[in-house]
């Protein structure tokens, strides 16, 4: 198993553990504040603002500027001194962002809220935001230290430390529930400082633990951080243009995020029903379910391959870098399209599995949002991987162009949603805005990848493979929908029966059977279409678990492979 495959497995397993504990945290959060109502929407707004800022910093300035320099710094003679300077500079930038957000909490929170929110409602959102804002510093520190560990090929603690954050936060919610019970319909006067600290403050404490744990493997690897205040000689001057483009991307993403938050937070108030219409709370909870396969596979693949791509480009081995990018994107699409097909067929069941503490009405509000977001899974993953490839070239302009096209398309759909879509359906349309905007920018992305790699990236072969994958996913969706519908009817699973322990087990059963049936159908279609990425992936897994020692397995693999070669562009080898 190659280093990419091993590291991807470590990251994926850590992400899986994080998501499982995160699911527990989400269940407890929903039990404490619900998914609809002012308190739920205020908490989701307050807790999402630091995450938005972190995502912008991580995807822009850090991944575009500091991470490539970390890879280069580790090869330098004075690597310790330069790393200290990079980490010190990162901390200063993070502290600056954190301080600015904390000082301007009310103004920034107001940007994300609909104008229909009253003063007391805004004050609650402000309080949640203020308690969550220090997360910006610790999320960023986690990113920087984690990338140093990744460059050193040490992924264990990096992958698993987020579990600690969920454990600490869950402890806070459990304490809240024991002391106060469900507070989704409590008046605004209920939310005093101690209650806000138990919900938002413990989440911030968990994020801090997540970041600080990374110092343990860093020290064990031989690196002991010390503050260094001189920033000359660390290679950032050459990255100035990348910083400008990254800042521009940050602004674009921020605009679309703000529009989404404002429309979603205002929809329930515009409809005159704060508990029966999906708002920002419903949208963010649906997002937490949709993001699971993206973070588990796409982000893990991108994190594991980025250092290798950067190394090949630094050595001017463009063909090798193009092969890694191509293989990673195909592997990602193979996985993401399967999840899209399945998730679009079982949204209600997924809501029941991941949020059993809410009632059937709230689940029915989440379901169409999950469907609309899941449609875009393959495309958001491709954009992520392409952006990482451009950043490895120290190219910030190309990711900006892609982001500009995607953001422009998204804003157009958002404006249409705001002006002409009924409030009851606006949250769903916001999900479609995300999916469609990423989907429609893919042609631009492919042309730019071809030009960036000088023809080493084979767009024709890439397109043929994706046509096969998309066709297989479409047929799989039909099979998944039929299976889940039949099972739901037989087992009497619907919004009115979706709550309770028995319903939870039924939902898990439906999801499990639908997933197994879907995988069988997906595999058969891919084999019939002679999709080499799937055949190579099976061979890689069979080799990993030493199954090829059985002659029958080898014969089957040779039978389904488009060619007799065992070589593979799959990144899981």
């Amino acid at each position: 198993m190659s280093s990419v495959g091993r590291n991807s497995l470590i990251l994926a397993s850590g992400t899986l553990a994080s998501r499982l504990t995160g699911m527990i945290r989400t269940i407890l959060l929903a039990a404490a504040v619900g998914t609809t109502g002012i308190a739920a929407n205020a908490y989701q707004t307050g807790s999402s603002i630091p995450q938005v800022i972190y995502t912008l910093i991580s995807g822009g300035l850090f991944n575009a500027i500091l991470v490539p320099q970390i890879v280069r710094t580790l090869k330098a003679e004075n690597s310790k001194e330069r790393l200290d300077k990079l980490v010190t500079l990162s901390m200063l930038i993070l502290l600056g962002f954190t301080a600015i957000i904390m000082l301007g909490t009310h103004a920034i929170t107001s940007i994300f809220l609909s104008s229909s929110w009253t003063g007391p409602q805004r004050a609650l959102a402000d309080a949640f935001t203020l308690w969550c804002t220090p997360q910006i510093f610790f999320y960023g520190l986690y990113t920087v230290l984690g990338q140093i560990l990744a460059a050193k090929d040490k992924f264990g603690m990096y992958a698993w430390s987020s579990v600690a954050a969920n454990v600490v936060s869950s402890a806070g919610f459990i304490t809240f529930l024991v002391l106060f019970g469900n507070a989704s319909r409590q008046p605004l006067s209920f939310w005093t400082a101690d209650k806000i600290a138990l919900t938002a403050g413990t989440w911030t404490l968990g994020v801090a633990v997540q970041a600080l744990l990374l110092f343990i493997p860093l020290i064990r690897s031989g690196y002991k951080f010390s503050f260094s205040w001189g920033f000359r000689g660390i290679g950032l001057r050459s990255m100035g243009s990348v910083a400008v483009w990254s800042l521009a991307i940050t602004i674009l993403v921020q605009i679309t995020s703000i529009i989404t938050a404002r429309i979603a937070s205002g929809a329930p108030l515009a409809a005159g029903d704060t508990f029966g219409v999906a708002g920002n709370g419903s949208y963010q909870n649906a997002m937490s379910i949709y993001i699971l396969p993206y973070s588990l596979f796409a982000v893990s693949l991108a994190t594991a391959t980025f250092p290798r791509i950067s190394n090949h480009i630094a050595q001017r081995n463009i063909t090798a870098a193009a092969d890694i990018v191509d293989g990673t994107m195909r592997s990602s699409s193979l996985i993401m399209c399967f999840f899209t097909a399945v998730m679009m067929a079982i949204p209600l069941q997924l809501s029941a599995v991941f949020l059993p503490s809410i009632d059937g009405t709230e689940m029915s509000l989440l379901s169409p949002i999950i469907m609309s977001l899941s449609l875009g899974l393959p495309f958001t993953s491709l954009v992520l991987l392409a952006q990482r490839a451009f950043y490895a070239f120290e190219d910030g302009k190309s990711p900006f162009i892609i982001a500009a096209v995607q953001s422009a398309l998204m804003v157009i759909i958002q404006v249409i949603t705001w002006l002409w879509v009924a409030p009851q359906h606006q949250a769903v349309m916001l999900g479609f805005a995300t999916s469609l905007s990423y989907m429609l920018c893919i042609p631009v992305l492919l042309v730019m990848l071809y030009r960036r790699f000088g023809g080493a990236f084979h767009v024709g072969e890439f397109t043929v493979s994706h046509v096969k994958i998309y066709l297989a996913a479409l047929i799989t969706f039909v099979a998944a929908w039929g299976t889940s519908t039949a099972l739901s009817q037989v087992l009497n699973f619907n919004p009115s029966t979706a709550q309770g322990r028995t319903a939870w087990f039924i939902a898990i059963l439906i999801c499990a059977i639908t997933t197994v049936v879907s995988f069988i159908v997906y595999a058969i279609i891919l084999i019939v279409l002679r999709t080499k990425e799937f055949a190579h992936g099976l061979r890689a897994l069979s080799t990993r678990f030493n199954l090829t020692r059985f002659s029958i397995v080898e014969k089957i693999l040779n039978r389904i492979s488009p060619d007799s070669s065992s070589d593979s562009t799959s990144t899981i080898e």
Side-chain angles (χ1 to χ4, degrees), residues 19-100:
R19 291 303 171 181
L20 289 174
T21 53
M23 179 184 73
I24 296 173
R25 175 189 175 272
T26 301
I27 292 171
L28 294 170
L29 167 61
V33 302
T35 60
T36 58
I38 294 300
N41 287 320
Y43 181 89
Q44 291 294 348
T45 299
S47 63
S48 65
I49 289 175
Q51 294 183 22
V52 168
I53 302 299
Y54 154 73
T55 300
L56 299 178
I57 298 172
S58 173
L61 295 175
F62 281 8
N63 284 332
I65 301 172
L66 296 176
V67 173
Q69 293 305 320
I70 288 172
V71 174
R72 291 168 175 80
T73 294
L74 289 174
K75 297 180 178 180
E77 293 182 0
N78 58 339
S79 60
K80 170 64 167 62
E81 178 185 353
R82 294 181 63 178
L83 270 181
D84 286 343
K85 291 180 179 180
L86 282 170
V87 175
T88 301
L89 177 60
S90 301
M91 287 184 175
L92 290 176
I93 293 173
L94 290 167
L95 283 173
F97 271 103
T98 303
I100 291 172

Side-chain angles (χ1 to χ4, degrees), residues 309-333:
I309 296 171
S310 296
N311 282 331
H312 282 304
I313 291 174
Q315 297 168 8
R316 302 197 180 279
N317 191 350
I318 304 302
T319 300
D323 288 341
I324 294 174
V325 173
D326 182 34
T328 304
M329 293 177 76
R330 295 194 203 190
S331 297
S332 175
S333 293

Side-chain angles (χ1 to χ4, degrees), residues 27 36 71 174 188 191 208 258 283 318 320-321 336 388 420 518 548:
I27 292 171
T36 58
V71 174
I174 291 173
L188 293 177
W191 290 98
I258 290 170
Y283 185 87
I318 304 302
M336 291 300 116
R388 294 294 180 90
W420 291 298
S518 300
T548 52

Side-chain angles (χ1 to χ4, degrees), residues 90-274:
S90 301
M91 287 184 175
L92 290 176
I93 293 173
L94 290 167
L95 283 173
F97 271 103
T98 303
I100 291 172
I101 300 300
M102 292 187 75
L103 290 173
T105 295
H106 179 72
I108 293 171
T109 304
S110 297
I111 294 174
F112 285 82
L113 292 175
S114 168
S115 57
S116 56
W117 278 55
T118 65
Q121 292 170 344
R122 291 175 181 273
L124 179 59
D126 289 346
F128 282 128
T129 302
L130 187 62
W131 275 92
C132 291
T133 296
Q135 294 174 18
I136 296 172
F137 174 82
F138 293 109
Y139 274 133
L141 182 63
Y142 169 80
T143 298
V144 173
L145 299 182
Q147 288 296 342
I148 296 176
L149 289 171
K152 288 175 170 286
D153 208 31
K154 297 183 182 297
F155 288 84
M157 186 67 78
Y158 181 31
W160 284 82
S161 66
S162 57
V163 173
N166 291 324
V167 171
V168 173
S169 180
S170 295
F173 284 122
I174 291 173
T175 304
F176 181 93
L177 288 168
V178 170
L179 295 176
F180 310 111
N182 183 283
S184 60
R185 295 179 182 266
Q186 292 284 0
L188 293 177
S189 58
F190 168 84
W191 290 98
T192 53
D194 57 333
K195 300 178 182 69
I196 295 173
L198 274 176
T199 52
T202 53
W203 180 220
T204 297
L205 177 62
V207 175
V209 172
Q210 169 184 311
L212 297 176
L213 281 174
L214 296 190
F215 279 105
I216 297 174
L218 278 175
I219 293 173
R220 289 177 177 174
S221 70
Y223 173 64
K224 296 182 180 180
F225 168 73
S226 57
F227 287 100
S228 181
W229 305 102
F231 304 130
R232 292 185 178 181
I234 55 177
L236 295 182
R237 183 173 298 177
S238 63
M239 303 292 290
S241 61
V242 179
V244 173
W245 291 116
S246 297
L247 180 59
I249 293 175
T250 298
I251 295 172
L252 290 177
V253 176
Q254 207 167 27
I255 290 172
T256 56
S257 297
I258 290 170
I259 295 174
T260 295
R262 288 184 68 89
I263 295 175
S265 65
L269 295 174
D273 187 356
T274 57

